[in-house]
């Protein structure tokens, strides 16, 4: 009887395993076709200057429109693209598409609008990220200063010297860089000081409980202070409430992105937002933190 139970549970477990490896196989095959079939697209999340309330650019976020399924989150398929090596080809497509869109946004006047593009560790390991970015810039005709590559602390830590060399080259080409999800990794302050990056993105986890957890607010304050001492600017991720917005303004954080202003939008919806001149209230009206029309 005991044996029977054990066998039954083993079968159940084996079934689960088979299911998950089948699922993975299926996902892998579908992703291999996705690029050729044009199933990838980018959404753009507006980034807002906290002093002026104006949209200063957007982060490009990859989506997969999987036939019969709908939009799939990058958290689900980017790890697969990294492990099967497809991230190189998809990453090139992302850079091309983001640079082309950003060039088109410039016609909406006002200050030049930037685009942020996320990079994976594997893209640094396998290829020449600088060459791929320059190629995308050349093809699109975008001003290199309007492209900002986002990398994480883990990318830097895996091979600090070669990443720093690559960042220096990007900088000499005028391409901007940002350190994403800052505070979630393990980079030491001495690394940070050696890193030629322009912006620090304060991770959403610190922003979320900014007004309720003294530890988070202390970290956010320290990160903004350190960012400024190193001559960089700060942008907060995942701002969802007016309380968080007010606190970040008080810290002197330069910019934000988050659901409070807008979720990531399809390309045409982002263009409509630019066309309508949407901005966030600033100064005394700031606490409202609403999207208002000029
Ligand atoms: P990330 O670069 O840190 O992007 C920010 C994520 O936070 C996005 O998730 C965005 O939709 C979400 N977010 C923005 N504002 C808020 C908010 O107010 N509240 C909450 N709860 N979430 C917010 P998304 O689009 O699912 O992307 C997840 C991650 O996938 C990204 O994190 C990035 O690491 C990765 N990723 C996305 N696109 C690409 C890409 O083209 N290449 C690579 N290598 N990675 C990408
Ligand atoms: Mg990012
Ligand atoms: Mg981030
Ligand atoms: Mg993140």
């Amino acid at each position: 009887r005991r044996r029977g139970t054990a066998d039954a549970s083993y079968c159940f477990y084996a079934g689960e395993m088979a299911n998950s490896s089948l699922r993975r196989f299926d996902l892998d095959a579908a992703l291999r076709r996705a690029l050729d079939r044009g199933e990838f697209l980018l959404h753009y999340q507006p980034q807002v200057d906290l002093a002026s309330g104006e949209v200063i650019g957007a982060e490009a976020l990859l989506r997969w429109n999987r036939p019969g399924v709908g939009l799939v989150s990058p958290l689900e398929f980017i790890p697969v693209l990294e492990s099967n090596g497809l991230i190189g080809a998809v990453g090139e497509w992302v850079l091309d598409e983001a640079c082309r869109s950003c060039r088109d946004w410039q016609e909406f006047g006002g200050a030049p609008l930037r685009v942020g593009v996320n990079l994976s560790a594997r893209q640094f390991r396998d290829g020449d990220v600088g060459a791929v970015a320059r190629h995308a810039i050349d093809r699109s005709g975008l001003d290199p200063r309007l492209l900002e590559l986002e990398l994480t602390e883990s990318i830097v830590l895996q091979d600090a010297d070669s990443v720093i060399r690559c960042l220096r080259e990007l900088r000499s080409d005028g391409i901007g860089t940002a350190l994403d999800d800052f505070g979630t990794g393990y980079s030491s302050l001495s690394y940070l000081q050696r890193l030629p990056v322009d912006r620090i993105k304060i991770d959403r986890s610190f922003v979320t409980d900014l007004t309720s957890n003294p530890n988070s607010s202390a970290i956010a304050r320290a990160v903004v202070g350190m960012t400024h001492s190193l001559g960089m600017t700060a942008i907060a991720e995942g701002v969802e409430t007016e309380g968080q917005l007010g606190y970040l303004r008080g810290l002197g954080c330069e910019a934000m992105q988050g659901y409070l202003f807008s979720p990531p939008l399809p390309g045409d919806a982002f263009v409509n937002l630019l066309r309508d001149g949407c901005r966030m209230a600033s100064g005394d009206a700031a606490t409202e933190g609403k999207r208002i029309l000029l």
Side-chain angles (χ1 to χ4, degrees):
R1 218 193 134 88
R2 271 191 80 139
R3 225 194 116 118
T5 310
D7 282 348
S9 71
Y10 173 75
C11 282
F12 177 70
Y13 186 56
E16 282 268 284
M17 292 272 284
N19 265 337
S20 83
S21 62
L22 258 181
R23 215 176 98 87
R24 177 59 187 262
F25 182 77
D26 181 49
L27 195 59
D28 198 278
L31 281 166
R32 285 180 191 278
R33 292 187 299 262
L35 190 58
D36 290 336
R37 296 188 179 174
E39 292 166 11
F40 288 114
L41 67 155
L42 296 179
H43 278 185
Y44 298 97
Q45 186 173 38
Q47 298 181 332
V48 180
D49 180 274
L50 287 186
S52 68
E54 277 166 5
V55 174
I56 51 174
E59 176 175 5
L61 293 157
L62 185 59
R63 301 288 182 261
W64 175 26
N65 190 5
R66 186 174 189 186
V69 175
L71 285 193
V72 184
S73 157
L75 298 175
E76 227 176 287
F77 65 84
I78 285 188
V80 183
L81 295 176
E82 286 207 39
S83 72
N84 66 17
L86 279 175
I87 192 68
V90 176
E92 273 190 60
W93 178 85
V94 171
L95 272 163
D96 269 336
E97 179 74 11
C99 287
R100 252 195 321 263
S101 300
C102 185
R103 182 206 54 209
D104 293 345
W105 300 337
Q106 307 309 319
E107 71 180 79
F108 293 99
L113 295 160
R114 276 188 298 196
V115 71
V117 172
N118 292 285
L119 296 176
S120 294
R122 179 103 190 230
Q123 286 172 274
F124 273 88
R125 213 165 5 107
D126 291 355
D128 183 344
V129 169
V132 173
R134 280 186 293 274
H135 200 192
I137 282 180
D138 290 344
R139 274 193 296 253
S140 63
L142 181 72
D143 180 342
R145 288 169 301 182
L146 300 180
L147 173 63
E148 181 175 76
L149 299 179
E150 297 191 5
L151 59 161
T152 58
E153 291 168 86
S154 60
I155 294 180
V156 181
L157 289 177
Q158 69 176 0
D159 187 0
D161 291 329
S162 80
V163 171
I164 289 172
R165 229 175 300 128
C166 179
L167 292 174
R168 287 214 190 95
E169 267 177 46
L170 291 170
R171 177 168 280 181
S172 72
D173 291 330
I175 297 170
T177 50
L179 201 52
D180 205 356
D181 302 337
F182 188 75
T184 59
Y186 298 93
S187 48
S188 69
L189 293 178
S190 63
Y191 265 146
L192 198 60
Q193 180 216 327
R194 288 175 61 208
L195 273 191
V197 295
D198 308 304
R199 278 218 281 195
I200 296 286
K201 301 194 75 174
I202 305 172
D203 191 66
R204 174 158 62 89
S205 57
F206 304 111
V207 173
T208 301
D209 50 1
L210 201 52
T211 53
S212 58
N213 181 346
N215 292 332
S216 291
S217 46
I219 289 170
R221 182 180 298 278
V223 169
V224 173
M226 179 206 66
T227 299
H228 293 163
S229 331
L230 293 174
M232 305 168 181
T233 61
I235 177 163
E237 307 187 294
V239 179
E240 294 183 354
T241 71
E242 292 163 17
Q244 293 161 354
L245 176 71
Y247 200 96
L248 289 160
R249 267 213 182 88
L251 293 182
C253 180
E254 279 85 1
M256 71 82 117
Q257 60 184 87
Y259 297 164
L260 177 64
F261 182 73
S262 170
L265 300 169
D268 53 352
F270 180 65
V271 164
N272 286 339
L273 183 143
L274 295 174
R275 185 176 293 131
D276 294 345
C278 260
R279 55 176 278 162
M280 198 164 61
S282 62
D284 288 337
T287 38
E288 284 207 30
K290 297 256 165 57
R291 259 163 64 169
I292 56 166
L293 297 178
L294 274 183

